[in-house]
């Protein structure tokens, strides 16, 4: 990934940071975007120790203009863009009738609208560089999960958006793929515990019977799909879920 530039959203924590680390080890220069300023600064310091250039941008990606500005700032700094990894997301589970005002809209804005606006701004540059887009969806975008309708809908939407864009850009030199991980131990996953008095018989269907997925294994796949090695992948949704969606 030497001389390549990859923008990663949600890079301050969890899978975004793990992906940034993989790409830094492979030599890519990084543009990191997250709403968590302290986490972003810490991540950048850590990643620069691999000898790569790191640009950080602290902003709320639920605002479309911030998505467009993030792409523009990356191009202004590095002069090129080779990869876009849409990793940032929120998950605000609750009983549907108890959902807080604005939670549905926020989930849609961060998890679905932001990847769209980032992709829209990035596409001309990724076509020029024969680059790649990797969207992080979820196994619960395939297998439904109780108390999580908004999140599941955005992840299912992201999978279909990936495929639709892959069709539209079939004849261009850009690859567009998604990954759908099962449960990983990150701050986002811990939000599932916030549901009051959940019915365990409803949660059973989307529970990780073989245990959680290793975040580093998913990060390896995201980094691979963002690299030139993944030439055979376009419009794919790679499920890494220890069998969660199997039945
Ligand atoms: N953890 C799991 O079990 C799991 C399972 C399947 C898919 N995923 C997906 O993996 C991805 C990474 O999540 P994670 O588990 O590492 O969680 P995480 O909470 O550790 O990371 C999410 C990051 O997104 C950032 N973010 C949230 N809202 C933002 C906003 N408005 N603007 C900019 N940045 C924002 C957060 O600050 C955080 O750094 C997400 O797309 C998530 O849906 C997670």
């Amino acid at each position: 990934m030497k001389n390549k530039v990859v923008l990663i959203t949600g890079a301050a924590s969890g899978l975004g940071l793990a992906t940034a680390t993989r790409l830094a080890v492979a030599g890519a220069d990084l543009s990191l975007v997250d709403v968590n300023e302290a986490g972003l600064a810490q991540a950048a310091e850590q990643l620069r120790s691999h000898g790569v250039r790191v640009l950080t941008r602290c902003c709320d990606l639920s605002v479309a203009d911030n998505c467009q500005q993030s792409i523009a700032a990356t191009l202004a700094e590095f002069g090129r863009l080779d990869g876009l990894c849409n990793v940032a997301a929120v998950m605000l589970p609750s009983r549907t009738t108890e959902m807080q005002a604005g939670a549905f809209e926020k989930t849609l804005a961060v998890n679905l609208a932001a990847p769209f606006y980032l992709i829209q701004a990035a596409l001309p540059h990724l076509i020029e560089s024969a680059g790649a887009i990797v969207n992080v969806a979820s196994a619960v975008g395939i297998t439904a999960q109780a108390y999580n309708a908004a999140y599941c809908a955005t992840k299912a939407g992201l999978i279909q958006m990936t495929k639709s864009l892959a069709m539209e850009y079939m004849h261009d030199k850009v690859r567009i793929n998604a990954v759908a991980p099962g449960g990983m131990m990150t701050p986002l996953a811990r939000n599932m515990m916030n549901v009051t008095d959940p019915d365990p018989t409803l949660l059973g269907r989307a529970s990780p019977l073989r245990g959680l997925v290793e975040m580093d294994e998913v990060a390896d796949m995201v980094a691979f799909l963002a690299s030139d090695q993944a030439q055979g992948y376009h419009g794919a949704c790679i499920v890494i879920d220890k069998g969660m969606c199997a039945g």
Side-chain angles (χ1 to χ4, degrees):
M1 298 296 283
K2 282 233 162 23
N3 302 319
K4 303 264 188 198
V5 176
V6 183
L7 189 156
I8 305 165
T9 71
S13 166
L15 180 62
L17 178 55
T19 300
T21 306
R22 287 291 172 288
L23 291 167
V25 168
D29 292 325
L30 302 171
S31 174
L32 311 180
V33 185
D34 204 292
V35 75
N36 172 356
E37 190 164 17
L40 207 49
Q42 205 179 348
E45 197 184 324
Q46 207 174 302
L47 293 162
R48 284 188 187 111
S49 70
H50 295 283
V52 298
R53 289 170 66 192
V54 180
L55 174 72
T56 60
R57 188 175 168 80
C58 178
C59 65
D60 179 355
L61 289 168
S62 69
V63 179
D65 193 47
N66 285 337
C67 298
Q68 286 128 13
Q69 292 303 323
S70 297
I71 300 295
T74 306
L75 287 156
E77 176 73 12
F78 296 106
R80 62 180 295 130
L81 184 65
D82 300 279
L84 167 64
C85 301
N86 283 309
V87 190
V90 291
M91 183 174 82
L92 306 166
S94 77
R95 289 174 180 278
T96 296
T97 50
E98 292 168 8
M99 201 160 174
Q100 303 243 314
F104 182 80
E105 289 75 7
K106 183 174 180 183
T107 308
L108 239 67
V110 179
N111 299 8
L112 196 55
F116 177 81
Y117 289 122
L118 283 155
I119 290 168
Q120 192 180 43
L123 265 168
H125 311 285
L126 292 172
I127 290 169
E128 196 183 327
S129 65
I133 294 166
V134 187
N135 294 322
V136 176
S138 170
V140 299
I142 299 167
T143 281
Q145 187 175 45
Y147 313 121
N148 216 0
Y151 179 83
C152 291
T154 60
K155 294 302 184 177
L158 193 56
I159 293 169
Q160 197 63 354
M161 191 165 89
T162 302
K163 294 183 180 190
S164 175
L165 288 166
M167 285 304 298
E168 184 175 342
Y169 291 91
M170 193 63 79
H171 298 310
D172 292 285
K173 285 190 188 310
V174 58
R175 289 174 302 98
I176 308 171
N177 293 293
V179 296
M184 303 175 287
M185 194 39 78
T186 66
L188 178 134
R190 284 188 268 276
N191 283 356
M192 208 58 211
M193 317 292 180
N194 295 343
V195 180
T196 45
D197 195 22
D199 178 343
T201 63
L202 300 182
L203 289 174
R205 284 294 294 278
S207 67
L209 297 176
R210 266 198 185 206
L212 296 172
V213 174
E214 290 299 328
M215 191 172 63
D216 286 345
E217 204 178 326
V218 180
D220 280 342
M221 178 53 75
V222 178
F224 167 70
L225 290 172
S227 79
D228 286 347
Q229 285 179 298
Q231 289 303 319
Y233 294 79
H234 184 58
C237 174
I238 310 295
V239 179
I240 311 171
D241 70 343
K242 290 195 173 171
M244 207 171 114
C245 295

